[in-house]
Amino acid sequence: MDERKPLLLKKSYKTIRGKTQLGYEALHIERPVYQIDEFNKETLYEKPFIPLKTKIKNSANSVNYKQCIFNTLPILKWLPEYNFKSSILGDIIAGITVAIMHIPQGMAYGLLGGVPPVVGIYMAFFPVLVYTLFGTSRHVSMGTFAIVCLMTGKVVNQYTTIEIMQNGTLNHLTSDPNTPQYTNVQIACIVTFTVALIQIPMYILRLGVVSTLLSETLVDGFTTAAAFHVVASQLKDFFGIPITKRRGNFSFPLTIFDAAKALPQANLNACIVSFITSTCLIINNELIKPWLSKKTRFPFPIELVAVVFGTLASLCLNFQDNYNISIVGHIPTGLPNPSLPAFDMIPNVFMDSFVITIVSYTVTMSMALTFSRKLMYEVDSNQELLALGLSNMLGSFFSCLPITASLSRSMIQQAVGGVTQLASVVSCCILLVILLWIGPFFEVLPRCVLTAIIIVSLKGILFKITLIKKYWKLSKWDAFVWIVTFGITLIFQISIGLAAGVVVSLLSIFVQGYKPYTCLLGLIPNTDLYLDIKRYKAAQEIDGIKIFHYSGGLNFASRTSFKNLINKKVGFDPQEILTKKSRDIIDGQEISLITKWVMLDFSCLSYIDPSGVELLRQLQSDYKKLNITLYLVNLSGPVFEVIQKCDKTLELDSKFIIFPTIHDAVLYTQNYLKNE
């Protein structure tokens, strides 16, 4: 039996400048010089091959139906293992805390989505119960998220023809009888349904990896610009100014222009309420909250306090009648009746819904992965698509906007002791009480209070604009992606900005891959180490040999770039010399005295296609006419197999000369010179 033992290095000690240091004896290896065919025969090389029939059989045999059920319903996996003694108290406290946060945030972001504020509380109840069953993240708080609500609100404003007013009455925005009539809630519901319609097929096709298309740079630039859109959309209620909602391209600059123009008509009373609310929130966030975090892990519910005090002040002083301050208006009690979305609107909202899907999923996955890495448990990216899809599917029948994980609520839920999604169940129970009985209390809440909560909560995202300095120092390409994404999102529409960001990100990857790292290698004397001669000054080029190192892929797209790079590094273009019929002279010297061998180090070649092999054939032919020999060295298994397959298919007599290492190729040439 062949027993393979690990290679042991013999330790040695040496004295350098009076200090004894641990070292190792010099490395001595004795073996013959190999070409690739001999090397493969000696090492028993064999391409792995599994018949398709065997793959299907193994796949069928590996299916564990019990495990599939557990993976589809993760609650069946973690709930039986739930430790009530150590975890239930933390989940109850976290649920109560998050429910308190849901009230002001839900109402504020519902308003941001162009629907009645109570919809934000619906979003924290119906979809969250479904996510508890199917979600794999134990700590994310699902519900409203400012950016997604704003994006949905853009679609709602575009297609709504009947607006539900504060007192529950309907306001017809168009008098054209031929125009289909849809309320703002109906448009929001069909967006939510379409998002679910995209997420569930993505789960079936295992497309959870799609979130990797959105890099951190792109997401930062996009969310920062979207936050400015959110602020612009809230200026009307914040200052109490009479401006109309802008739609389509250039909505942000036009809204800022309208607001600046209408500022002399601002409602002073609304400005005072907004200023007082904002000041209190900022003082709490900047001073009280950091101090309180050192004393206790329970945050002070400043947003809820602002909502309660704003409601009481409006109730006592009658803000709407006496001071002309807009209020939230009618909040229905009880749960909404289920209704079918307007399916005929799916083609109209599909593209916007697709963008919302990608943003919602990316934000949720980034939050879920943050907690899973911190607390050491697994999150399934594809299962999250199913959980979000089913949650939104149910929510679309109960007047909900698309749900997303919230950064602030999720952080609080974990910080105050939340262990599992049972915290969300506790939160839903509390919100159910509010929906059934307490909701009408908030009908007189000034809208400017909710607006102040929204704007202050976005402070962290707005200040991400300073990250451009960091990206510029780290990578000019990252900075370029950030600037393009931010600029187009801000000036044009959110969906266009995201699409532009993805295109620029992919372009940056292509351009950086199109010009990969290349260099000429030289030998470190008395070793078998070959290093970049520009970076390692001790490395010396070998007379008559050019060793070209290439990192990247060699295919139809990069073959021209590869050819230009090798000609530049080696110092001449063989085709140009052959065309000019000056085969023997370059700068007054014979080619044979300059270069006899060109070695291509493909140790970092990630991929090659038949077009790339054809280019190598062309190079080999051109060099041969100039009495130069081309060697290929350090080929990976897949690259070697592609070249071998091309050789068999074309049935060529002249094959490439391939060596397993650079040193084999160099020693082979030196032996060739001795034998001449």
Side-chain angles (χ1 to χ4, degrees), residues 196-262:
L197 214 58
I198 296 170
Q199 288 170 334
I200 293 176
M202 285 177 67
Y203 160 74
I204 296 172
L205 297 174
R206 318 299 287 175
L207 295 179
V209 72
V210 73
S211 64
T212 57
L213 289 176
L214 303 185
S215 65
E216 180 186 356
T217 309
L218 187 153
V219 172
D220 281 342
F222 172 76
T223 54
T224 304
F228 278 97
H229 276 281
V230 172
V231 172
S233 69
Q234 298 304 299
L235 294 178
K236 176 181 179 180
D237 289 324
F238 191 88
F239 294 108
I241 50 180
I243 58 175
T244 57
K245 293 181 180 179
R246 292 282 189 171
R247 301 176 180 178
N249 295 328
F250 308 105
S251 60
F252 175 79
L254 291 174
T255 300
I256 296 299
F257 175 78
D258 292 343
K261 188 177 179 181

Side-chain angles (χ1 to χ4, degrees), residues 365-378:
M365 272 306 301
S366 64
M367 286 301 306
L369 289 173
T370 298
F371 289 115
S372 68
R373 291 166 185 160
K374 179 180 178 181
L375 302 170
M376 305 300 292
Y377 65 89
E378 292 295 324

